[in-house]
Amino acid sequence: MRRISIFGATGSIGQNTLDLIRRRPGEFQVVALTGASNIKQLAADAREFNAEIAVTADENLLADLKKHLNGSNIKASGGSTALLEAAEMPADWIMSAIVGAAGLAPGLKALEQGTTLALANKESLVTAGPLWMVTAAKSGATVLPVDSEHSAVFQALLGEDAATVERVIITASGGPFRDWPVGQLARATLEQALNHPNWSMGQRITIDSASMFNKALEVIETKEFFGLKSNQIEVIVHPESLIHALVGFNDGALMAHLGAHDMRHAIGFALNWPNRRDLPVERLDLGRIAKLRFEAPDETRFPALRLAREVMQAGGLAGAVFNAAKEKALDGFIAGQIGFLDMARIVEDVLTQMSGTSGHIDAAVTLDNVAQTDHLARIRAGEAIAEQAKKG
Ligand code: NAD
Ligand code: MG
């Protein structure tokens, strides 16, 4: 039996992963499942899959978790050290699907095992791409992308010579505000931002899709994962979201990957790799779909993509600043403290402030430096949010 662990098991990616595991009884032995505040779900999943251990990131909820696991022989633990310990438990396949920068440290720890790691947590590559890739190379781990665009690129590259790749094009749905004028965007509500036209995902990535911050993170993720130059990566808005990415080769050929909007596709590919196996996803009926549309992204209304290019240009710890400021600004938007367009403005402000010598963004990309930079960027973003909230 393959031993597997899922970090962020209670989230959207985690639940889709468990859905695939559930369909193949007797094939997998679940080692660790982790979550944060949704203790009921975590305990129910740990019981259903007879996990060795269930871990909550929130130490204060450990007593509650223990209560829910009462009478079982499943171990329970809580807090950030417990997450790291779970990442050290030997497993053949580990899913990294915690949301945000919080996924970096446990992901790196899991990577040190030299096992197969399915990477949904794009923030790992955005905040610490070089560190991540070096750790993977040292340990001999196999990292498989789970973001749909990156899984698509990975699949288009199978059997190809990386030196013949000219460019990679990742698609963006354009989100719920694709056609909205700037004036209307400024007044966009949380509820409207959560109304994604194609994909069903966790709350945070859904809002990031509406603002294009998700695509901005993915551009950086593409650069780090596939070792490309920033000018080799393009974004195209494709409202149907059926082509996930295209790879352009030096003979002018473009290899596209198409599939339904279902994350079980990319998760299943990573789970079954290096084989392909039947997956419970919709088969596309191209006659019914009839049309695929494409349009260039509008960086005036969605400045996140421009900021991503600046971050790649700056390199070093700029990705950690970008991600942390974005996470904090997103908290501010969710809490109703700032408007939709304020998010990009605040991230740009923090990037500018921290690009000076005081920001130390050219320091080495180590876990400590990333953590310090992340902390400082959140403070700066918090100040900017407070100022903006005062202005109203
Ligand atoms: P989600 O919000 O649905 O779930 C997040 C998971 O992380 C939950 O299990 C939660 O308990 C856990 N978590 C939250 N805060 C934590 C913390 N501080 N410490 C430890 N654990 C914590 O998120 P999601 O949509 O499943 O996304 C997970 C990751 O996958 C993100 O990095 C996202 O960008 C990426 N991703 C998601 C999708 C998707 O379809 N949902 C697609 C591509 C990539
Ligand atoms: Mg994606």
Side-chain angles (χ1 to χ4, degrees):
M1 283 217 276
R2 272 172 96 193
R3 289 170 58 84
I4 72 162
S5 288
I6 304 174
F7 288 77
T10 55
S12 166
I13 292 286
Q15 291 293 299
N16 275 307
T17 310
L18 286 174
D19 176 77
L20 293 178
I21 305 294
R22 183 179 287 119
R23 291 162 192 268
R24 288 167 40 182
E27 265 192 63
F28 302 98
Q29 183 184 338
V30 175
V31 181
L33 295 180
T34 88
S37 54
N38 194 347
I39 297 299
K40 249 181 145 167
Q41 182 74 52
L42 179 60
D45 291 337
R47 281 181 186 273
E48 180 188 346
F49 293 93
N50 195 23
E52 288 173 25
I53 188 167
V55 187
T56 165
D58 186 345
E59 218 163 352
N60 298 318
L61 298 178
L62 177 57
D64 200 18
L65 178 61
K66 282 188 171 156
K67 202 177 75 197
H68 278 88
L69 290 173
N70 210 356
S72 74
N73 50 19
I74 301 161
K75 278 183 258 158
S77 65
S80 48
T81 312
L83 276 179
L84 296 180
E85 284 165 4
E88 283 180 324
M89 292 173 74
D92 304 308
W93 190 89
I94 300 177
M95 167 58 81
S96 165
I98 288 174
V99 65
L104 174 63
L108 275 174
K109 206 31 115 198
L111 203 55
E112 285 170 7
Q113 280 195 35
T115 187
T116 302
L117 190 139
L119 183 63
N121 179 267
K122 60 193 83 184
E123 295 88 348
S124 291
L125 288 175
V126 173
T127 58
L131 173 63
W132 183 273
M133 298 317 276
V134 166
T135 308
K138 261 197 206 152
S139 69
T142 300
V143 184
L144 299 165
V146 171
D147 222 339
S148 55
E149 298 76 4
H150 305 75
S151 176
V153 173
F154 189 92
Q155 294 181 52
L157 284 173
L158 289 175
E160 302 286 354
D161 174 1
T164 63
V165 173
E166 256 177 15
R167 59 181 178 149
V168 163
I169 306 171
I170 61 173
T171 61
S173 68
F177 305 146
R178 183 169 58 89
D179 300 324
W180 285 31
V182 169
Q184 203 180 344
L185 276 179
R187 296 187 302 275
T189 64
L190 175 61
E191 200 190 359
Q192 289 166 330
L194 284 171
N195 186 25
H196 198 283
N198 301 333
W199 292 93
S200 157
M201 308 179 284
Q203 185 192 50
R204 299 182 71 85
I205 183 175
T206 302
I207 303 166
D208 283 349
S209 296
S211 63
M212 289 269 210
F213 266 112
N214 180 50
K215 211 47 57 180
L217 298 177
E218 289 181 357
V219 167
I220 304 170
E221 182 187 10
T222 305
K223 174 179 182 286
E224 300 297 338
F225 196 105
F226 298 103
L228 297 167
K229 297 197 189 81
S230 50
N231 63 8
Q232 288 180 289
I233 306 160
E234 299 170 23
V235 173
I236 189 84
V237 174
H238 164 44
E240 291 78 16
S241 298
L242 295 174
I243 297 181
H244 303 307
L246 306 97
V247 177
F249 294 92
N250 60 0
D251 59 356
L254 274 177
M255 298 291 283
H257 175 284
L258 285 82
H261 325 122
D262 189 332
M263 284 310 293
R264 291 176 305 176
H265 219 128
I267 297 167
F269 178 82
L271 187 64
N272 297 328
W273 190 87
N275 305 309
R276 280 191 193 274
R277 289 183 53 171
D278 191 41
L279 288 174
V281 298
E282 185 196 331
R283 274 40 174 180
L284 297 183
D285 176 348
L286 293 176
R288 192 174 54 79
I289 292 158
K291 243 191 211 160
L292 297 178
R293 289 167 296 165
F294 303 98
E295 55 194 61
D298 177 349
E299 293 188 8
T300 319
R301 289 182 303 134
F302 300 100
L305 293 176
R306 170 175 58 78
L307 297 178
R309 274 200 307 279
E310 290 170 14
V311 166
M312 291 189 291
Q313 189 88 38
L317 296 165
V321 174
F322 181 61
N323 180 68
K326 189 280 295 175
E327 287 193 27
K328 189 76 184 173
L330 179 57
D331 293 340
F333 176 69
I334 293 172
Q337 294 167 303
I338 56 169
F340 185 76
L341 290 178
D342 294 329
M343 287 192 282
R345 206 171 302 136
I346 286 168
V347 172
E348 184 159 18
D349 270 7
V350 175
L351 274 170
T352 308
Q353 281 180 47
M354 291 185 61
S355 300
T357 43
S358 64
H360 300 295
I361 64 160
D362 51 357
V365 182
T366 61
L367 196 50
D368 280 351
N369 285 348
V370 168
Q372 269 178 34
T373 303
D374 177 287
H375 181 68
L376 192 58
R378 280 174 209 259
I379 292 175
R380 296 277 172 274
E383 290 163 358
I385 290 167
E387 215 164 285
Q388 180 64 38
K390 244 193 286 164
K391 278 191 235 155

